[in-house]
Amino acid sequence: MVKVDLKGIAKVKARGRTYWYAWRGGPRLRGEPGSPEFIASYNEAIEDRRTPDKSRFRFVVADYKASGEYKKLAESTRQQWGKWLDRIADYFGELRIVQFDRPEKIRPVIRRWRNQFVETPRTADYALQVLSRVVAHAVELGKIAGNPCEGIKHLYNNDRSEIIWTDSDVAHIKKTCSAEIADAVDLDGHTGLRLTDLLRLSWSHVGDDAIVLTTGKSRHRREAIIPLYDGLRAVLARIPKRATTILTSSKRRPWTADGFGSSFNKAKIDAGMSERDLHFNDLRGTAATKFYIAGFSMREIAETLAWEEESVEKIIRRYVGRAAAIKARIKKLETRE
């Protein structure tokens, strides 16, 4: 009998069942361990690995796992993502990569896979996040033109108007992120612009006294007018002028939405903040508190950020009002001593 070396086989337990894979992230093996069918499927997988089919999505998953970007992730993150990458390879692996270049066809497939986890919306959204990163890798490889995961709504919904980045949150991500991401974080925390507007913000929009630009959400019918206060002037002064846009990538070019999204997600992962429920646009809430402290009225803040006044009031009550109340109580106690 020929002895077959089955070293490297991966064992995965999911929903009370056990699955065997030729290697972590590799194809699932057929049959029971030790059976002729099991060994035959293992040998097929090894042969395919020697001559990988670069037209299949399994190749993209494997290439991403071998990439320097994936290897730079924290060990805990790789362990978590590794499980999802195995599931992604198992579900999508045999699809041809070009199928992901047909959004109207592949999005229903992606939703069906995501909806397996619909009972836990955050988990479902996390699964979609990992898949989106793998698909973005296919875009980077030049295999497809765009990411069909973009535009699929998340299942977990909540009112984010009360969520802001605190000063400590900003300081934490800036410890490990690139200078380009740090510039974006600082600029949004001081302007409150939506990400789409922030990425197209150019030096020509900066006047003597204010930043003035039309907003994308209003289809450019409304203008955002942001006064140039000292903090904002300081942020602008330290950003190098590399292009017509204020923010640029490390390649000194204007950011694309996908490029910035990938880099920002990586920055959160590197900072150990991937599990934190903080989105980039939550920096708009941080800006709202700065405007209020600077003396803006609720209405002025709402007009600047294109929010409802009710949302502004929620933020002010929670973050500014609470801090002011504590300071007032401390002052009372100190005057009694």
Side-chain angles (χ1 to χ4, degrees):
M1 178 182 291
V2 178
K3 184 177 180 181
V4 180
D5 182 8
L6 302 183
K7 183 179 180 181
I9 287 179
K11 178 181 179 182
V12 176
K13 290 186 177 181
R15 297 177 179 267
R17 299 182 63 182
T18 300
Y19 301 95
W20 299 88
Y21 296 84
W23 58 85
R24 184 164 292 280
R28 193 201 298 184
L29 300 177
R30 303 185 301 273
E32 293 298 319
S35 69
E37 183 183 17
F38 187 87
I39 294 173
S41 65
Y42 174 83
N43 288 335
E44 288 173 11
I46 295 300
E47 183 59 30
D48 288 343
R49 193 179 197 184
R50 290 179 184 142
T51 55
D53 186 347
K54 294 185 179 181
S55 69
R56 304 286 178 179
F57 194 71
R58 189 181 304 283
F59 167 77
V60 178
V61 179
D63 195 76
Y64 174 66
K65 292 186 75 172
S67 69
E69 180 180 343
Y70 181 73
K71 290 176 181 177
K72 287 179 183 178
L73 300 179
E75 177 64 27
S76 59
T77 303
R78 287 201 305 272
Q79 289 179 357
Q80 184 66 25
W81 277 44
K83 297 174 185 177
W84 285 107
L85 291 172
D86 289 344
R87 293 169 183 167
I88 289 167
D90 185 42
Y91 194 90
F92 297 99
E94 292 307 307
L95 293 180
R96 293 192 175 278
I97 299 172
V98 293
Q99 291 180 254
F100 286 80
D101 232 352
R102 301 165 186 153
E104 72 284 356
K105 298 289 186 181
I106 197 63
R107 278 179 179 157
V109 179
I110 293 173
R111 289 192 190 95
R112 281 198 297 273
W113 176 74
R114 187 274 310 272
N115 288 346
Q116 294 179 72
F117 319 103
V118 69
E119 293 181 2
T120 50
R122 285 190 178 184
T123 299
D125 289 346
Y126 190 74
L128 184 62
Q129 176 191 346
V130 179
L131 175 61
S132 181
R133 184 64 202 91
V134 178
V135 178
H137 187 67
V139 176
E140 291 164 8
L141 292 175
K143 296 286 187 179
I144 56 177
N147 188 341
C149 294
E150 298 290 336
I152 296 179
K153 292 183 178 180
H154 286 189
L155 296 178
Y156 182 72
N157 241 332
N158 66 339
D159 180 4
R160 305 195 64 81
S161 63
E162 294 185 58
I163 299 175
I164 73 169
W165 287 68
T166 64
D167 289 342
S168 61
D169 291 329
V170 171
H172 186 72
I173 196 170
K174 287 172 67 176
K175 287 179 183 177
T176 53
C177 74
S178 67
E180 291 76 20
I181 293 296
D183 288 341
V185 168
D186 283 341
L187 189 58
D188 204 45
H190 284 78
T191 63
L193 292 171
R194 287 182 174 81
L195 178 58
T196 51
D197 292 326
L198 193 76
L199 295 184
R200 67 181 182 84
L201 182 65
S202 71
W203 292 106
S204 64
H205 291 126
V206 182
D208 293 334
D209 301 309
I211 290 175
V212 181
L213 81 162
T214 57
T215 60
K217 188 176 181 180
S218 70
R219 297 183 181 179
H220 305 288
R221 289 192 295 264
R222 293 177 58 188
E223 285 185 330
I225 303 176
I226 304 159
L228 287 174
Y229 56 102
D230 290 344
L232 178 53
R233 288 183 187 275
V235 171
L236 290 170
R238 63 175 175 262
I239 297 177
K241 294 184 178 181
R242 297 171 170 173
T244 55
T245 57
I246 295 177
L247 298 177
T248 59
S249 68
S250 59
K251 295 180 180 178
R252 298 171 176 259
R253 297 175 183 171
W255 284 105
T256 63
D258 284 346
F260 182 84
S262 295
S263 295
F264 182 70
N265 285 337
K266 181 179 181 300
K268 281 188 64 179
I269 292 167
D270 290 345
M273 301 174 73
S274 59
E275 298 297 326
R276 295 284 306 280
D277 188 27
L278 282 173
H279 299 177
F280 184 83
N281 274 331
D282 294 332
L283 285 159
R284 302 185 72 217
T286 305
T289 64
K290 292 181 187 294
F291 295 154
Y292 183 80
I293 291 170
F296 280 44
S297 69
M298 299 287 189
R299 182 172 182 176
E300 287 171 334
I301 297 172
E303 290 175 349
T304 301
L305 298 179
W307 283 6
E308 298 295 330
E309 284 190 54
E310 181 182 353
S311 297
V312 176
E313 289 174 1
K314 285 181 181 179
I315 285 181
I316 301 308
R317 277 201 307 270
R318 181 171 180 178
Y319 293 101
V320 180
R322 179 174 60 188
I326 292 173
K327 288 181 180 179
R329 290 167 188 166
I330 291 174
K331 187 174 181 179
K332 285 182 179 179
L333 289 170
E334 289 175 343
T335 56
R336 290 179 180 178
E337 292 180 356

